[in-house]
């Protein structure tokens, strides 16, 4: 039979379906073969055509039926407006850094390293071993696997100078990523409605966590060397705040690293005001021309609450971090974590511990340092050649980002759109300020895929700045 026979059957059944009610049963295949004087193969082909159009459905053992036509209608959720009322704490929109990358685009907006910068073999092997271990079928303690607690404490203890008592495993609470740790720490130590001092600019996720916890952010200006201790002291005095959130090592977004002297000065200010320093060491493993030097290593009186993440350096699929806190502060954070998530997946903890205790982990970090340096320098050179108006106040000694400042005349939202139209994704600096931005900034991540495209991306950025400036 030809395609004309199939079309004839389809047309005939379309007329039949138009007159039949929804759910009506079509004649059996044998009856259709007789009616249209066609072969069973041709009849089946016609039925498949109608099924692909969504007009009929086959129910095994029952027959073929006319499918009910569902008409889309607007749904009414207005009742929820009265039920929910206004949100107690309005959360900021998700950052541009979380946007997926369209195919073929050059992603300078991303927040995570490309997979080629991750220890992929170690990750896969560790997850396989963890899946075969008792961690796959048992619940871990609320505070974390004892061995992983000991690793976090031991790493910080190695940086602790003589005369300062190092932390112990019992000071550690293992977290499902540092983001949830920030939320818990803000809720536990600051509480809703109270002021929290933060560097400005600062990590957008900390701004989000603060909004979720309902704390009131008080910005303290911070530059390439960190915040001015006198400014910080004045902010403590004026606000009565009892906590300061900061990233002393390779700050996101600026890449700033505090000097040892600045770290001691900031710690002295915190101590003088009987306050906490919430130290976010997210980039501990991303040193390029310097080493991480946690402020927490200088403190044994419980003033520094130290958050150490493994998520970015190990794998975004292994969301594991540790918070080191001493005294009642740890108990409050632990209580909040228990209420929020009870405990962290034992498999993820076991895998993370496996990875960071392998000899190959140190080898990986040495190679990572060289790769990050090559990527950073390529992007810096590309900006200097093709986008000289994107001024860098400092070249970061670690981390994943550059923080160029643009002329004040540049339309920043328009610049972001113009670059995206040409396949280059960048992050507007406005996301990283807890209050009004102090200038026109963008954040460029040099750890994403395809670093060979950095010169082309800089060309696009340079043209857009000229056009919109």
């Amino acid at each position: 039979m030809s395609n004309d026979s199939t079309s004839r059957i389809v047309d005939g059944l379309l007329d039949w379906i138009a007159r039949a009610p929804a759910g009506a049963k079509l004649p059996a295949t044998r009856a259709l073969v007789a009616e249209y004087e066609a072969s069973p193969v041709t009849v089946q082909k016609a039925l498949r055509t109608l099924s692909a159009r969504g007009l009929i459905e086959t129910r095994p053992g029952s027959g073929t039926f006319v499918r009910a036509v569902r008409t889309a209608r607007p749904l009414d959720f207005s009742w929820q407006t009265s039920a929910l009322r206004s949100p107690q704490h309005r959360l900021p929109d998700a950052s541009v850094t979380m946007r997926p990358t369209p195919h073929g685009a050059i992603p300078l907006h991303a927040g995570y390293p490309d997979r080629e910068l991750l220890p992929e073999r170690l990750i896969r092997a560790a997850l396989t071993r963890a899946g075969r271990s008792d961690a796959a079928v048992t619940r871990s303690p609320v505070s974390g696997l004892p061995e992983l607690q000991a690793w976090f404490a031991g790493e910080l203890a190695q940086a602790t100078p003589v005369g300062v008592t190092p932390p112990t495993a019992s000071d550690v609470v293992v977290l499902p990523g540092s983001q949830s740790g920030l939320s818990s720490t803000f809720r536990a130590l600051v509480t809703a409605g109270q002021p929290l001092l933060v560097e400005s600019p600062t990590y957008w996720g900390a701004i989000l966590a603060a909004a979720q916890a309902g704390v009131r952010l008080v910005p303290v200006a911070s530059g390439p060397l960190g915040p001015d201790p006198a400014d910080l002291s004045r902010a403590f005095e004026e606000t009565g705040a009892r906590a300061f959130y900061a990233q002393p090592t390779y700050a996101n977004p600026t890449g700033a690293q505090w000097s040892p002297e600045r770290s001691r000065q900031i710690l002295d200010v915190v101590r003088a005001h009987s306050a906490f320093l919430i130290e976010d060491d997210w980039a501990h493993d991303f040193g390029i021309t310097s080493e991480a030097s946690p402020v927490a290593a200088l403190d044994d009186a419980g003033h520094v609450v130290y958050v150490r993440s493994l998520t970015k350096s190990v794998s975004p699929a292994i969301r594991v971090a540790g918070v080191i806190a001493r005294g009642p502060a740890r108990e409050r954070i632990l209580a909040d974590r228990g209420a929020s998530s009870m405990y962290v997946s034992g498999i993820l903890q076991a895998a993370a511990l496996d990875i960071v205790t392998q000899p190959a982990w140190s080898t990986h970090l040495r190679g990572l340092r060289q790769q990050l340096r090559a990527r950073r320098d390529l992007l810096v050179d590309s900006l200097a050649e093709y986008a000289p108006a994107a001024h860098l106040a400092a070249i970061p000694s670690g981390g994943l980002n550059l923080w160029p400042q643009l002329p004040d005349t540049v339309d920043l939202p328009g610049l972001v759109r113009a670059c995206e139209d040409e396949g280059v994704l960048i992050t507007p600096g406005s996301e990283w300020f807890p209050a009004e931005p102090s200038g026109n900034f963008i954040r460029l991540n040099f750890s994403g895929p395809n670093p060979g495209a950095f010169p082309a991306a800089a060309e696009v950025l340079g043209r857009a700045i000229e056009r919109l400036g």
Side-chain angles (χ1 to χ4, degrees), residues 101-115:
T101 303
H103 179 70
I106 304 173
L108 300 181
H109 73 304
Y112 288 87
D114 184 48
R115 63 184 295 173

Side-chain angles (χ1 to χ4, degrees), residues 242-441:
R242 287 293 174 264
F244 172 44
Y245 167 80
Q247 302 170 88
T249 303
Y250 317 135
N252 185 1
T254 65
Q257 182 179 22
W258 299 0
S259 67
E261 180 182 5
R262 181 61 56 91
S263 294
R264 287 190 292 270
Q265 291 171 339
I266 295 294
L267 185 55
D268 286 344
V269 170
V270 171
R271 287 169 172 164
H273 289 87
S274 300
F276 293 101
L277 167 62
I278 302 170
E279 179 180 7
D280 185 354
D281 196 7
W282 72 279
H284 185 94
D285 300 315
F286 297 138
I288 297 177
T289 58
S290 69
E291 301 291 341
S293 183
V295 181
L298 305 175
D299 173 63
D300 57 7
H303 287 283
V304 181
V305 175
Y306 178 69
V307 183
R308 163 69 158 108
S309 176
L310 293 173
T311 301
K312 283 186 168 63
S313 54
V314 171
S315 168
I318 300 180
R319 294 195 59 79
V320 171
V323 58
I324 297 180
R326 309 197 200 194
R330 177 192 182 273
E331 303 310 312
R332 291 203 180 186
I333 294 171
L334 180 60
D336 187 273
R337 289 310 318 152
S340 300
S341 58
M342 292 191 179
Y343 58 90
V344 181
S345 162
I347 286 183
L348 294 185
Q349 291 187 71
L353 178 64
D354 188 323
I355 292 166
V356 298
T357 54
Q358 293 288 336
W361 172 246
S362 297
T363 304
H364 164 74
L365 292 181
R366 287 193 296 271
L368 177 62
R369 175 184 292 262
Q370 299 305 318
Q371 293 183 73
L372 290 177
R373 181 168 189 161
R375 287 163 168 264
R376 180 202 66 181
D377 292 350
L378 177 58
L379 186 54
V380 168
D381 293 343
S382 298
L383 292 176
E385 182 173 357
Y386 298 110
H391 172 69
L392 287 171
I395 297 176
S397 58
L400 306 177
N401 310 298
L402 299 182
W403 183 244
Q405 183 170 7
L406 309 179
D408 291 339
T409 55
V410 173
D411 171 18
L412 189 55
L415 179 73
V416 173
R417 289 192 300 270
C419 288
E420 184 172 356
D421 289 343
E422 294 195 53
V424 177
L425 303 183
I426 62 175
T427 307
S430 52
E431 292 189 358
W432 309 86
F433 287 91
E436 293 81 4
S438 60
N440 235 2
F441 294 89

Side-chain angles (χ1 to χ4, degrees), residues 6-273:
T6 303
S7 300
R8 180 169 54 86
I9 298 172
V10 169
D11 291 341
L13 289 176
L14 284 173
D15 290 340
W16 189 91
I17 290 170
R19 297 190 302 271
K25 185 175 181 179
L26 270 69
T29 299
R30 183 178 300 176
L32 293 175
V33 166
E35 178 180 352
Y36 290 99
E37 298 180 348
S39 72
V41 173
T42 303
V43 170
Q44 288 299 324
K45 186 176 180 181
L47 292 176
R48 285 197 299 272
T49 299
L50 294 171
S51 179
R53 296 184 187 180
L55 299 175
I56 61 174
E57 60 183 351
T58 300
R59 302 172 190 171
S62 299
T64 303
F65 298 83
V66 176
R67 176 172 288 172
V69 178
R70 298 181 182 271
T71 304
R73 61 182 178 82
L75 301 178
D76 183 10
F77 300 116
S78 60
W79 68 271
Q80 293 189 6
T81 302
S82 299
L84 293 171
R85 302 297 182 188
S86 296
Q88 185 175 4
H89 310 297
R90 188 174 295 277
L91 299 181
D93 294 333
S95 170
V96 171
T97 63
M98 302 300 291
R99 288 184 51 191
T101 303
H103 179 70
I106 304 173
L108 300 181
H109 73 304
Y112 288 87
D114 184 48
R115 63 184 295 173
E116 72 175 24
L117 298 178
L118 303 177
E120 189 164 341
R121 288 186 179 181
L122 287 178
I123 294 167
R124 294 186 184 279
L127 285 171
T128 299
R129 285 190 287 267
R132 294 171 180 166
S133 72
D134 289 345
V137 291
T138 57
R139 180 185 68 81
S140 70
V142 175
S143 57
L145 294 180
E147 300 86 352
L148 186 56
Q149 289 178 285
W151 182 85
F152 278 116
E155 183 189 58
L156 186 58
Q158 290 178 2
T160 301
V162 175
V164 178
T165 303
T168 64
S170 61
D171 297 321
V172 178
V173 177
V174 178
L175 311 166
S178 61
Q179 183 65 30
S180 64
L182 294 180
S183 296
S184 286
T185 302
F186 294 165
R187 285 193 297 266
L189 303 186
V190 184
T191 70
Q194 297 304 305
L196 170 66
L197 307 185
V198 296
E199 294 177 291
S200 181
T202 193
Y203 170 46
W204 70 267
I207 297 174
L208 178 64
Q212 183 186 45
V215 305
R216 178 167 55 88
L217 293 182
V218 179
V220 177
S222 186
L225 301 179
D228 185 302
D231 287 347
L232 179 63
S233 181
R234 191 159 44 249
F236 272 121
E237 292 168 1
E238 292 175 352
T239 65
R242 287 293 174 264
F244 172 44
Y245 167 80
Q247 302 170 88
T249 303
Y250 317 135
N252 185 1
T254 65
Q257 182 179 22
W258 299 0
S259 67
E261 180 182 5
R262 181 61 56 91
S263 294
R264 287 190 292 270
Q265 291 171 339
I266 295 294
L267 185 55
D268 286 344
V269 170
V270 171
R271 287 169 172 164
H273 289 87

